[in-house]
Amino acid sequence: MTSDYRQKEQQQKVSQQAMSQHEKDIAYVIHPQTNLSAHEKTGPMIINRGDGIHVYDDQGKEYIEGVSGLWCASLGYSEERLINAAMEQMRALPYGQTFAHRSNEPTIALSEKLIELAPVPMSKVLFQSSGSEANDTAIKLAWYYHHANGNPTKKKVIGRVRGYHGTGLATASVTGLPHMHSDFNLPFDWVLHTDCPHYYRFAKDGETETEFTDRLIGNIAQMIEEEGPDNIAAFFAEPILGVGGVVIPPEDYFPKLQALLKKHDILLVADEVICGFGRTGNMWGSQTVGMEPDMITCAKALSAAYMPISAVLVSNPIYQAMVFESETIGTFGHGYTYGGHPTCAAVALETLAIYQENNIVQHVREVGGYMQQQLAQFKDHPLVGDVRGVGLLAGIELVKDKATRAPFDKPQMTAGKVCNFAEQQGLLIRPIAGETLALAPPLITRPEQIDIIVQKTADALDATYRWLKG
Ligand SMILES: Cc1ncc(COP(=O)(O)O)c(C=O)c1O
């Protein structure tokens, strides 16, 4: 029996060694946000190396990372300063945490830095490892705040159609993308969704931008009235929707929204997970769209994605409510093992130092302005309905009919095809909601590299057009 088992194990080991990395991936790895059935046929693209804005697959083929991985590798793939910051911190104290009065110097310094950088006055910082955890934390803090203020019925959270806030139970619920809910028994019933502020796609015929904004704000006011202001805790919004289609709200959207939320003591949470740290040509997306949030969540470019770290910044009234509530209960009953991780904090601190020393915001304004100007030429392409963006963040929305703005019948198929053609030419871009191509190259991208990105995108669009024409 034992020897049979050993023999079988040995045979399995031999066959595993004979398997290629592609076969092993199919055999063992589950891929998030992936059609798992299709993956069993296509297998993975295995990326083994990065250098500057480029990554290289297991065949040595070079690609420009046109979306910075998942909108996060802001300083590219070979920033020695970040590698050294991690190594130095790991040698000194590889792990630390912030439960029960413990602290460590990188976490203290990073908190101070984030408060200094915040777009509106903020009081304190709480760390986690991911954007989802940060947003989940912000939901809990909104509830805690309202409890402390004697408003325990304020529980409902408003998100927006096409908003993306993460993948945890609560954050996937606030997310407004149906595939994040289907068959996961989501969203929770305390989550409400309101309109996406996407003028090109959702404006009515003849509606001006101001009329569109007023209609959306009116719908939110009506929702608040119907649900009861005493039942609503918070409103979650990305300054510019990322995964939902790179949607830039009309100029007066946030000022009008904020006035409404303030009236009803509904907290505004700015999800800066994509927009934060220079992406839109300001340090924060909130500054780009005139948002004055009560809480800010951030992640991704906080550490240039070299380490998993996220943060929630809270205003002073929220912090004071937390102090009050924790005193009443006896403790602030929340926290993650890796919140306040010194290695992650040290890398984030070094990242922020690089942004400031290299004036990354100015660089993004210049190179991003150039990128937007170059991409605007695609407005004339027969497949393109809209081109929009700011800084180094752009969306190219594809349509079946330019005149009517009618979308293609099979969601994402055409955008997916463009991305396939781009990949063949060594450019990684991503199909996102609303048949849109996302571009968000690393913040260090140079103008001549933008030219290459634009040329490869043009070639991929043309190839897709020919493919559609058969
Ligand atoms: C705006 C926004 N919020 C939250 C998240 C979730 O972050 P994470 O994947 O780190 O949990 C994302 C991820 O893309 C995001 O784009």
Side-chain angles (χ1 to χ4, degrees):
M1 174 73 186
T2 315
S3 81
D4 268 8
Y5 171 75
R6 290 262 174 264
Q7 211 176 350
K8 226 171 164 189
E9 202 181 46
Q10 197 54 38
Q11 276 167 357
Q12 205 179 356
K13 267 196 188 141
V14 171
S15 77
Q16 275 170 350
Q17 277 161 7
M19 281 165 89
S20 71
Q21 292 297 311
H22 281 242
E23 287 164 337
K24 283 188 183 177
D25 179 278
I26 292 170
Y28 301 119
V29 182
I30 297 177
H31 291 262
Q33 303 288 358
T34 299
N35 179 328
L36 299 179
S37 161
H39 185 78
E40 289 190 354
K41 293 178 200 92
T42 61
M45 169 197 275
I46 301 176
I47 300 289
N48 283 335
R49 195 167 69 80
D51 184 15
I53 69 164
H54 296 97
V55 291
Y56 299 83
D57 71 13
D58 56 347
Q59 308 301 306
K61 182 171 172 176
E62 181 181 271
Y63 303 88
I64 292 178
E65 240 310 352
V67 200
S68 307
L70 292 174
W71 327 75
C72 52
S74 50
L75 293 175
Y77 290 82
S78 46
E79 180 46 75
E80 284 296 321
R81 283 179 62 176
L82 299 185
I83 298 161
N84 291 333
M87 286 200 306
E88 260 173 49
Q89 184 55 45
M90 280 204 174
R91 286 201 181 96
L93 180 73
Y95 171 70
Q97 50 91 13
T98 48
F99 281 37
H101 311 287
R102 292 276 174 84
S103 201
N104 56 73
E105 284 182 2
T107 296
I108 298 167
L110 182 60
S111 304
E112 183 183 15
K113 191 80 206 164
L114 284 169
I115 293 300
E116 177 197 314
L117 289 176
V120 291
M122 285 284 162
S123 171
K124 298 278 189 298
V125 186
L126 181 56
F127 292 102
Q128 306 71 217
S129 309
S130 69
S132 302
E133 288 173 351
N135 284 325
D136 200 84
T137 298
I139 294 170
K140 289 175 74 180
L141 295 186
W143 289 338
Y144 213 58
Y145 164 84
H146 289 303
H147 270 275
N149 288 343
N151 296 315
T153 59
K154 273 185 161 292
K155 283 186 188 149
K156 295 190 181 180
V157 173
I158 306 177
R160 298 180 297 177
V161 169
R162 294 223 202 156
Y164 187 87
H165 301 291
T167 210
L169 291 170
T171 51
S173 290
V174 180
T175 292
L177 295 164
H179 72 277
M180 300 283 289
H181 301 153
S182 299
D183 294 348
F184 288 123
N185 297 328
L186 297 176
F188 286 138
D189 60 8
W190 45 263
V191 174
L192 308 165
H193 289 103
T194 189
D195 309 284
C196 176
H198 187 1
Y199 178 71
Y200 171 81
R201 177 51 55 205
F202 298 121
K204 291 182 176 166
D205 279 348
E207 202 172 38
T208 66
E209 260 201 344
T210 305
E211 287 163 352
F212 172 70
T213 304
D214 289 343
R215 175 162 64 81
L216 265 52
I217 300 298
N219 288 346
I220 299 167
Q222 193 184 337
M223 177 183 265
I224 294 171
E225 234 24 78
E226 281 168 11
E227 300 289 334
D230 292 346
N231 297 321
I232 305 181
F235 190 105
F236 270 69
E238 298 155 81
I240 293 169
L241 289 92
V243 180
V246 185
V247 176
I248 305 174
E251 221 171 283
D252 48 352
Y253 176 84
F254 276 113
K256 286 177 176 168
L257 174 67
Q258 277 151 199
L260 176 66
L261 299 179
K262 270 212 164 61
K263 200 166 95 186
H264 296 297
D265 190 21
I266 298 170
L267 299 176
L268 177 61
V269 181
D271 179 342
E272 292 265 10
V273 169
I274 286 181
C275 295
F277 309 107
R279 174 60 62 194
T280 68
N282 286 298
M283 188 51 82
W284 303 92
S286 292
Q287 293 159 324
T288 303
V289 298
M291 227 175 151
E292 292 178 4
D294 301 290
M295 280 188 262
I296 293 170
T297 58
C298 56
K300 296 192 191 273
L302 170 56
S303 64
Y306 278 48
M307 281 284 162
I309 180 169
S310 66
V312 185
L313 281 63
V314 301
S315 67
N316 194 45
I318 296 177
Y319 176 65
Q320 293 309 332
M322 291 166 66
V323 172
F324 175 83
E325 197 66 4
S326 74
E327 195 179 6
T328 311
I329 297 170
T331 190
F332 170 52
H334 176 84
Y336 297 93
T337 299
Y338 303 116
H341 194 295
T343 309
C344 301
V347 170
L349 258 180
E350 191 68 1
T351 303
L352 299 183
I354 294 172
Y355 292 157
Q356 287 200 305
E357 283 165 35
N358 296 352
N359 201 350
I360 203 80
V361 166
Q362 189 53 33
H363 176 79
V364 172
R365 282 185 192 173
E366 287 165 17
V367 179
Y370 180 65
M371 182 177 88
Q372 304 297 342
Q373 193 194 342
Q374 294 302 304
L375 292 178
Q377 64 181 274
F378 295 135
K379 282 192 175 148
D380 296 330
H381 195 279
L383 292 181
V384 175
D386 190 32
V387 181
R388 50 184 177 265
V390 61
L392 280 170
L393 181 62
I396 302 172
E397 184 161 340
L398 308 182
V399 287
K400 192 167 74 174
D401 185 325
K402 277 172 97 79
T404 63
R405 303 178 179 189
F408 285 98
D409 305 326
K410 286 195 180 162
Q412 302 260 332
M413 195 173 115
T414 311
K417 200 71 196 170
V418 179
C419 294
N420 291 344
F421 282 122
E423 185 184 309
Q424 283 170 21
Q425 306 189 29
L427 170 67
L428 300 180
I429 50 176
R430 197 174 150 201
I432 51 171
E435 201 83 49
T436 297
L437 306 169
L439 280 94
L443 305 184
I444 55 168
T445 305
R446 297 189 306 268
E448 65 273 20
Q449 294 172 319
I450 295 291
D451 289 338
I452 300 171
I453 291 171
V454 171
Q455 186 55 53
K456 287 181 191 291
T457 307
D459 293 346
L461 280 166
D462 290 346
T464 307
Y465 186 63
R466 286 194 297 272
W467 170 78
L468 279 170
K469 292 275 155 208

